[in-house]
Amino acid sequence: MTKVYNFSAGPAMLPEAVMQQAQQELLDWQGLGVSVMEISHRSAEFKAIAATAEADMRELLGVSDDYAVLFLHGGGQSQFSMVPMNLLGDADEVAYTDFGTWGHLAIAEARRYAKVRVVAELQTEGLIALPPQSQWQAADDCAYLYTVDNETVQGVEIPWQVDSPVPLVSDMSSNLLTRPVDVSRYGLIYACAQKNLGPAGVTIVVVKKSLLERVPISTTPKMFDYRQHVDKQSMLNTSPTFPWYMTGLVLKWMKAEGGVAEFARRNAEKAQALYACIDASEWFVSQVDPACRSRMNAVFHCREPQHEAAFLQFAHNEGLLGLKGHRSVGGLRASIYNAMPMAGVQRLIEVIQAFSPV
Ligand code: PMP
């Protein structure tokens, strides 16, 4: 049987070693005689899993004691509401960049709670590009500045360290732990798990504890209040135990493979090879400025859009899945997160090179 590679944007492929370990211990977690899915989130066994996952996340990402690390429900989009609800404080305005689908949706949600200043937008004339920070509007008088580090749908990733006079909030849902990050530059970082970290169902939030002195707006539901989650070590109610456990396995795997620096090296190599192939191709094209192309989500098109269905079918026959672009932008997208090996990217390159619509 042809080896299948899954380029889905998320839920995305997980490391084979992690899947095998989960399979092995599915019915009997470490001699307990029951599955990890069947035990209480408050049991000593699960608390140990949770504590190890947090410690490994702190180690891999380099998180100091000034920050809390939370494992929450609700996916990335819950953070669209939690961020303004908790961080608006006494201010009435918040600053956002609008570089794609996920920034756009976060802005719409923030507008329910605050005045939103859009400080920069995606450039779509000619090549798709990010405006340099020197061209962004000032955010000095805003409660925070919110950015999306990697726009999963448009395939753009901020290639420089964003500077901010106010607490910097970053949605790293599709690139957390794929390159080193100086956490001390941020007020809050979050990521849903289903791209680089684990299966859907758990969302990681890294938040500076001093920011939690800001009182949440009065209508904030208990489940949306960071302070309450910090107080209860992310166990305010029944936790998403299985995705949390799986994320823990992925973090252990990452450590064994060499940590974030090693994944940054692999990711750069994979992305360079794939974009070089697209750029050299007669049939395919990337419309994203090379300076801000995502290392995670390579968004590209057939020069003749009517060839895309044929390419998707051809790739599918070759065992390459999940290459259809997001429904809102069309085209093609190859998501090459941490778990995608170079061999998968090489296979995709071969298939792109072998494709001919005529
Ligand atoms: N932010 C980014 C950058 C994303 O890619 C996604 C999901 N694709 C989300 C937020 C929303 O995540 P969820 O579906 O878990 O709410």
Side-chain angles (χ1 to χ4, degrees), residues 74-77 80 102 148 150 152 171 173-174 190 192 194-195:
Q77 293 213 39
F80 296 180
W102 301 109
V148 180
N150 182 69
T152 322
D171 174 358
S173 287
S174 43
Y190 74 84
C192 51
Q194 65 268 23
K195 289 134 196 324

Side-chain angles (χ1 to χ4, degrees), residues 70-76 191-194 197-204 240 242-245 247:
L70 301 172
F71 291 74
L72 304 181
H73 305 262
C192 51
Q194 65 268 23
L197 309 173
V202 68
T203 299
I204 314 300
F242 194 69
W244 193 338
Y245 149 82
T247 300

